Amino acid sequence: MLTEREVISTLNMLRNEHLDVRTVTLGVSLFDCVSHDLDLFTANVKAKISRYAANLVRVCDEIGDKYGIPVVNKRISVSPIAVVGAPFGPDGMVRICQALDDAAKEANVNFLGGFSALVEKGFTTGDRALIEALPEALATTERICSSINVASSRSGINMDAVALMGRQILKTADATKEHGGLGCAKLVVFANIPQDVPFMAGAYLGVGEPDVVINVGVSGPGVVKKAIDRAVEARSENFTIMDVAEVIKRTAFKVTRVGEMIGKEVAQRLNIPFGVADLSLAPTPAVGDSVGEIFQSVGLSSIGAPGTTAILAMLNDCVKKGGAFASSSVGGLSGAFIPVSEDSSIEAAATAGLLSLEKLEAMTSVCSVGLDMIAIPGDTSAATISGIIADEMAIGMINHKTTAVRLIPVPGKTVGDVVNFGGLLGKAAIIPVPKGDSSGFINFGGRIPAPIHSLKN
């Protein structure tokens, strides 16, 4: 039970500090939909999603109104399509993606994730078909998100997949060039992807998950910033960075309790099991809802200034500590996101040259995900994109953590130009990529072996 003081504090978060439940994501397994007949398979998929998702948006809105805590996004994740759609070629994969898009529209959710493949150790026929289909699939749908896992700490890095994804990202950008390469904003390359991510674009339902499940994504960067600001304003002479860490931890505890409460009630109303609360600090372009602004509250002139990586490490760790104490069902990614275009403060720092691709990469060694929503010149080579992916995958593999890359090569634009994706995806200035040629390395192919500490059995 919350104390009177905690209730008042939570009410203040709602009124002034952008507290919300960022997403409720319905996971739906499609393994029992499998068929060698494409029409029957897509019909089965749409019927099952409709059966479980028909009331998702209405129930989330009703519960949000009941508590005065908005559920901003309602989403669906499904089993990796490369597995359940394995009998079909690239054209079939495109049709499956379009059927999923129709199901997402019918359910009135904003995104559906799971057009995914897990290829960290090699390709199946279904994996290759799905990856080949990506440009057309993402160009002809509105709400589908795709994730490709190309590395893990247990398996190493599939460099053939890394090379292929560099090429497919460019093709996806070209296929959606009329919208600034928007398809790439819905395509993410992972190392060590969790099976229960509620946040897009990486959401999918892993093979070890229930038939249906409700996962909730909590956020609240504005809440964390305001809590730090209050503590700093009232600080005594003995107030140190350890006290800041304690403030973050306590705030994460409160936010997680609220999010889990909403998620469990949605699950109960829909008669579906509750899965996890992902307590990641996920920003939006709105002022006051920024992860980047937290760095200013902790004494930096801007995110990107020296000290940024240290603060991000503390922020990520304290969010996890507070959330883990608040809930026994913490999962997903759980930490801090740094998506450049989706965070007004981070975007401003990148535009001003305070955040380079190299600095962002350094920050990913201590944050939840990785190089996220970064716009780069449209003429960037596939080998360069693959080299950037390989570097990021190595950080995840060696450090036993999730890392990811969501790069957007914007057709026809170069460094200093701006692309506006609109809505939650925000806008971003095109930033330079490191110079040099990676093609010889990428052309080797094969697999970078897993590190020695993968032998844990």
Side-chain angles (χ1 to χ4, degrees), residues 72-321:
V72 178
N73 300 298
K74 299 86 173 175
R75 297 167 172 170
I76 297 170
S77 64
V78 298
S79 308
I81 294 301
V83 178
V84 295
F88 307 110
D91 292 342
M93 289 293 183
V94 172
R95 285 185 55 189
I96 293 168
C97 192
Q98 293 166 346
L100 290 170
D101 198 48
D102 291 340
K105 291 174 183 176
E106 183 180 337
N108 199 29
V109 296
N110 63 330
F111 285 123
L112 184 151
F115 196 70
S116 305
L118 310 175
V119 296
E120 59 268 22
K121 207 168 183 180
F123 298 97
T124 65
T125 302
D127 295 329
R128 289 193 181 275
L130 182 139
I131 294 172
E132 186 177 338
L134 282 171
E136 184 179 355
L138 295 177
T140 57
T141 57
E142 297 177 14
R143 310 188 189 200
I144 302 304
C145 291
S146 177
S147 55
I148 311 295
N149 194 76
V150 302
S152 74
S153 297
R154 279 302 190 113
S155 301
I157 304 173
N158 182 348
M159 290 301 296
D160 292 323
V162 168
L164 179 56
M165 288 311 300
R167 298 192 295 270
Q168 292 304 92
I169 286 170
L170 279 181
K171 290 179 181 178
T172 301
D174 185 65
T176 56
K177 61 186 176 183
E178 293 182 1
H179 303 284
L182 180 63
C184 296
K186 298 180 286 182
L187 172 59
V188 58
V189 182
F190 269 97
N192 292 321
I193 188 172
Q195 296 191 60
D196 54 7
V197 182
F199 284 107
M200 299 294 169
Y204 82 106
L205 189 70
V207 296
E209 295 293 301
D211 189 52
V212 285
V213 65
I214 289 290
N215 293 321
V216 63
V218 187
S219 187
V223 175
V224 172
K225 180 190 183 306
K226 289 291 181 67
I228 295 172
D229 288 344
R230 286 194 301 271
V232 170
E233 185 178 344
R235 66 178 171 179
S236 65
E237 291 183 3
N238 297 323
F239 190 87
T240 70
I241 196 69
M242 184 171 285
D243 297 300
V244 174
E246 187 68 18
V247 169
I248 297 170
K249 187 174 68 174
R250 289 176 179 270
T251 306
F253 171 84
K254 295 176 185 177
V255 169
T256 305
R257 289 280 287 271
V258 169
E260 185 179 55
M261 175 185 70
I262 297 293
K264 284 186 172 179
E265 185 153 345
V266 170
Q268 183 180 32
R269 287 275 299 274
L270 293 173
N271 195 28
I272 291 172
F274 178 75
V276 301
D278 184 325
L279 50 114
S280 297
L281 296 183
T284 71
V287 175
D289 197 27
S290 163
V291 170
E293 290 176 0
I294 294 172
F295 292 76
Q296 294 168 295
S297 296
V298 191
L300 297 187
S301 59
S302 168
I303 185 172
T308 293
T309 305
I311 292 173
L312 183 58
M314 177 185 70
L315 177 63
N316 207 55
D317 180 63
C318 291
V319 165
K320 291 178 187 292
K321 287 175 177 173

Side-chain angles (χ1 to χ4, degrees), residues 356-358 361 376 380 384 388 391 431-438:
S356 65
L357 197 61
E358 293 88 341
E361 182 184 293
I376 60 175
T380 305
T384 296
I388 294 169
D391 286 343
I431 67 172
V433 299
K435 295 180 180 179
D437 183 6
S438 308

